[in-house]
Amino acid sequence: MKKVLTILSTLLLLLALGTPVASAAEGESGESGSINPKEIIFEHLGDGYGWEVPFSHSHRIPLPVIVRDYEGGWHVFSSARLMHGGEYDGFKIAEGGEYNGKVVGMQPDGNGGMTEYRPLDLSITKNVAALWISALVVALMAFWLVRWYKRNGMKAPRKGLGAFEVTVAYIYDGVIKPTLGTKAKKFAPYLLTVFFFILTMNLLGLIVIFPGGANLTGNLAVTLVLSIFTFLLTNLFGTKHYWKDIFWPDVPWWLKVPIPMMPIIELFGVFTKPAALTVRLFANMMGGHMIVIVLTLLIFIFTAIGGLAIGGLTTVVSLAFSLFMLLIDTLVSFIQAYVFTMLSTLFISLAQAGGEHGSEAVAEAKDSTGMLRAE
Amino acid sequence: MELFTPELGLVFWMFVSFGLLFAILAKFAWPYIIKSLAERGEMIDKGVLYAKNAKEQLDNAKVEAQKYVAEAQKQQADILRDAAKMKSQIIEEAKTAAQEEAKKVMDAAKLAIEQARKESELQFRNEVSSFALSIAEKMLKKNMEGDKAQAELVDKLLKEVENKN
């Protein structure tokens, strides 16, 4: 009885929630009479100059736009001025074309006419703001723990802080220390920062409303920068042994003398490692977001095709599936943060190899990489 | 594809934010956290080791105490047994000593009695002889003044006495 009541009330709530959103979605693309799934998906996955608020498509939290025009002058203004096709200081948000959804300006094209150009855009977009929020969350957690230690000495923290401490210990004692050994302390700050930053960004991305909702780790720019950091740390602190293995590996001489085949392959590997890091995190997180959005969109597509009855049925199925997907995404958020950290640790440790330390860790590491690839 | 071209602005801000976060945490947070975790781990390890040692020592102490008690009991039993032995020995010794002493006293007494008997015999004999002499004297005196028969009797008596001795 209780179960039936729960299901019924959930259904009613879903209908109540679904209706305004559905009508709003129809209102948005009302001219064509049908919704454009591709546009919606890319809007949600991509960046924006304002931050969406729930239940409204016309209002957004305005964020600062910072652009440099073709003459080198800086312009800083609120993104609210550009909403709804507004123009300010000669800048507007392009609709369609090469720079769809981005701030563009007009510049003379030399023939007396004006052409659209993309200024240097350092705006605090939704993603940048989410980035700062994530960084703030990570910093607050870390300093909260530091403050706890300073105040309570050897006493172990409880509850939320305890969970954070356990995670730190899990990553440090479970990933960093066994792989890096004596060098663990040197690289731990970077790896721990990476782990908690990615984890926070992933989890915040799963929250639909304000402090979350930005598809940060599903953005190539973010994952690219993270793996560039790993790349730099790996190669800047690489040992002689590591560089020797790249340019003069232990293979038969004819593989490296007339045509340096192995060195080329090894050098290629130096760049593919961070590239794999970039794409793995990006694809996993973007995929998760996309599936949830597509599942939600199915409701509106089916409603548009078959009316409210079929739409209602789809709602139930879709929501069940998106709930399932979101739960999986929560798991994936952790796994991907863990994998990125683990692989970064591994790449750094491979570059630290100098004789005694290495073969064992490498074998173990290769095992786990294989496992992750399979997954 | 917009999704696959990293936006320069975001790359820039990501570099700045992540770099800053990393710098701040690497300087002020992570080393301290790692150090504290390690310190606490060490302290817990030490505590466990200490407790283990203490328990071991306690167990050892118990065993040792039992050993001491058993030893003491054994000693007590030994002492008691020795004492009993000594007691019977002393009694035995005392008995023999007393017997010897008694025997000595008896022997001395016997000797004394013998001496006394001999002395008294001697005395008695002397007295008897003196009595006899006096009797004989008296009779002799009487018979000297009487008849010849009496003198004969005395003679006879004297002979008897002589025979006796």
Side-chain angles (χ1 to χ4, degrees):
Chain A
M1 193 60 206
K2 218 173 178 183
K3 256 188 188 168
V4 175
L5 265 179
T6 320
I7 292 170
L8 271 180
S9 52
T10 317
L11 275 178
L12 277 175
L13 190 73
L14 289 180
L15 276 178
L17 279 177
T19 324
V21 176
S23 55
E26 270 165 27
E28 180 98 332
S29 48
E31 288 93 22
S32 56
S34 66
I35 50 171
N36 184 351
K38 194 185 160 220
E39 194 181 290
I40 295 173
I41 290 171
F42 278 86
E43 194 202 326
H44 279 269
L45 288 180
D47 208 345
Y49 289 97
W51 205 316
E52 299 95 334
V53 286
F55 304 118
S56 166
H57 262 251
S58 48
H59 290 94
R60 294 191 176 202
I61 300 169
L63 296 163
V65 173
I66 304 165
V67 285
R68 197 186 70 165
D69 60 27
Y70 65 98
E71 284 162 330
W74 288 94
H75 301 263
V76 180
F77 50 92
S78 160
S79 73
R81 297 180 190 278
L82 300 181
M83 291 292 137
H84 314 297
E87 204 176 318
Y88 185 81
D89 264 2
F91 294 103
K92 61 174 184 174
I93 294 175
E95 281 174 26
E98 200 187 339
Y99 307 122
N100 184 26
K102 303 286 175 202
V103 167
V104 289
M106 300 300 272
Q107 69 178 3
D109 59 357
N111 301 332
M114 301 287 270
T115 50
E116 260 183 14
Y117 77 104
R118 182 92 171 91
L120 179 64
D121 185 357
L122 297 182
S123 305
I124 311 305
T125 57
K126 178 183 158 192
N127 276 350
V128 176
L131 206 63
W132 288 356
I133 292 171
S134 305
L136 199 68
V137 169
V138 174
L140 282 179
M141 290 296 279
F143 283 111
W144 188 17
L145 192 58
V146 168
R147 201 183 63 158
W148 170 277
Y149 286 141
K150 284 195 173 143
R151 288 204 179 163
N152 297 289
M154 292 289 185
K155 206 165 155 246
R158 302 284 192 269
K159 293 180 183 170
L161 199 54
F164 178 66
E165 191 200 46
V166 165
T167 320
V168 175
Y170 174 66
I171 295 300
Y172 183 70
D173 293 330
V175 178
I176 302 172
K177 225 168 157 187
T179 317
L180 279 169
T182 49
K183 303 255 174 65
K185 266 193 185 140
K186 187 173 165 193
F187 294 105
Y190 168 70
L191 295 163
L192 285 169
T193 313
V194 162
F195 176 79
F196 284 103
F197 198 38
I198 294 176
L199 183 64
T200 314
M201 287 194 291
N202 286 350
L203 290 176
L204 276 179
L206 294 181
I207 301 169
V208 203
I209 51 165
F210 166 64
N215 177 30
L216 261 183
T217 35
N219 190 307
L220 209 52
V222 172
T223 59
L224 182 73
V225 172
L226 284 170
S227 39
I228 286 174
F229 270 100
T230 297
F231 173 81
L232 288 176
L233 273 180
T234 308
N235 293 294
L236 288 181
F237 292 96
T239 55
K240 257 186 212 160
H241 191 263
Y242 165 74
W243 289 111
K244 190 221 145 215
D245 263 0
I246 288 171
F247 292 112
W248 200 252
D250 291 328
V251 288
W253 62 268
W254 46 269
L255 279 175
K256 44 194 180 183
V257 167
I259 318 153
M261 219 149 61
M262 283 315 285
I264 287 175
I265 292 171
E266 290 279 354
L267 199 63
F268 192 62
V270 170
F271 295 98
T272 52
K273 278 176 198 163
L277 273 186
T278 313
V279 174
R280 180 180 292 110
L281 181 58
F282 160 70
N284 271 289
M285 294 321 291
M286 194 199 63
H289 280 254
M290 199 184 253
I291 289 168
V292 173
I293 295 168
V294 168
L295 280 171
T296 314
L297 274 177
L298 278 181
I299 300 168
F300 305 113
I301 293 168
F302 275 96
T303 312
I305 295 169
L308 267 178
I310 293 174
L313 199 71
T314 323
T315 310
V316 177
V317 179
S318 272
L319 278 169
F321 272 102
S322 7
L323 186 64
F324 176 69
M325 274 316 296
L326 278 170
L327 287 176
I328 292 224
D329 276 346
T330 314
L331 188 65
V332 168
S333 293
F334 182 83
I335 292 175
Q336 286 309 318
Y338 180 79
V339 167
F340 194 101
T341 314
M342 201 199 66
L343 289 180
S344 294
T345 317
L346 195 67
F347 295 154
I348 291 171
S349 86
L350 288 179
Q352 296 297 314
E356 27 71 49
H357 161 80
S359 58
E360 204 180 307
V362 172
E364 197 182 304
K366 281 207 170 131
D367 266 12
S368 38
T369 0
M371 256 164 55
L372 290 165
R373 291 250 165 80
E375 187 236 336
Chain B
M1 287 289 268
E2 175 206 334
L3 270 181
F4 299 103
T5 45
E7 192 65 36
L8 186 73
L10 190 55
V11 169
F12 169 77
W13 284 117
M14 180 65 191
F15 248 109
V16 171
S17 336
F18 183 78
L20 259 175
L21 181 71
F22 168 50
I24 291 170
L25 293 186
K27 182 119 180 64
F28 300 108
W30 298 125
Y32 193 82
I33 289 172
I34 288 168
K35 200 188 81 195
S36 302
L37 273 174
E39 269 173 12
R40 197 168 71 216
E42 226 163 75
M43 198 187 75
I44 291 169
D45 283 354
K46 265 188 204 158
V48 168
L49 203 72
Y50 181 83
K52 216 170 131 191
N53 279 346
K55 199 184 165 283
E56 229 162 64
Q57 276 175 357
L58 196 71
D59 287 352
N60 280 352
K62 265 184 197 159
V63 169
E64 223 147 273
Q66 274 172 352
K67 214 169 75 189
Y68 281 128
V69 167
E71 214 164 277
Q73 276 171 344
K74 211 180 123 207
Q75 271 180 358
Q76 186 196 25
D78 280 356
I79 290 169
L80 282 178
R81 206 170 44 241
D82 281 357
K85 220 196 255 162
M86 214 183 267
K87 186 181 85 178
S88 51
Q89 202 180 345
I90 288 169
I91 289 170
E92 203 63 35
E93 271 172 17
K95 255 186 198 164
T96 49
Q99 267 170 356
E100 262 167 39
E101 196 65 23
K103 207 181 159 205
K104 248 188 226 166
V105 169
M106 289 272 272
D107 284 355
K110 263 183 194 164
L111 214 68
I113 287 168
E114 192 70 16
Q115 198 98 23
R117 197 178 60 90
K118 272 182 184 164
E119 266 175 25
S120 59
E121 226 177 52
L122 202 63
Q123 210 176 350
F124 184 64
R125 190 183 282 178
N126 288 343
E127 266 177 31
V128 166
S129 60
S130 70
F131 273 143
L133 275 176
S134 60
I135 290 169
E137 213 179 63
K138 272 172 191 170
M139 279 177 77
L140 216 56
K141 263 179 192 167
K142 207 179 186 180
N143 283 355
M144 287 309 145
E145 28 183 86
D147 38 20
K148 206 184 151 184
Q150 277 171 329
E152 276 170 11
L153 184 70
V154 171
D155 196 36
K156 202 178 99 188
L157 279 172
L158 276 175
K159 266 179 188 165
E160 267 173 28
V161 171
E162 258 173 14
N163 281 349
K164 239 185 195 174
N165 284 323

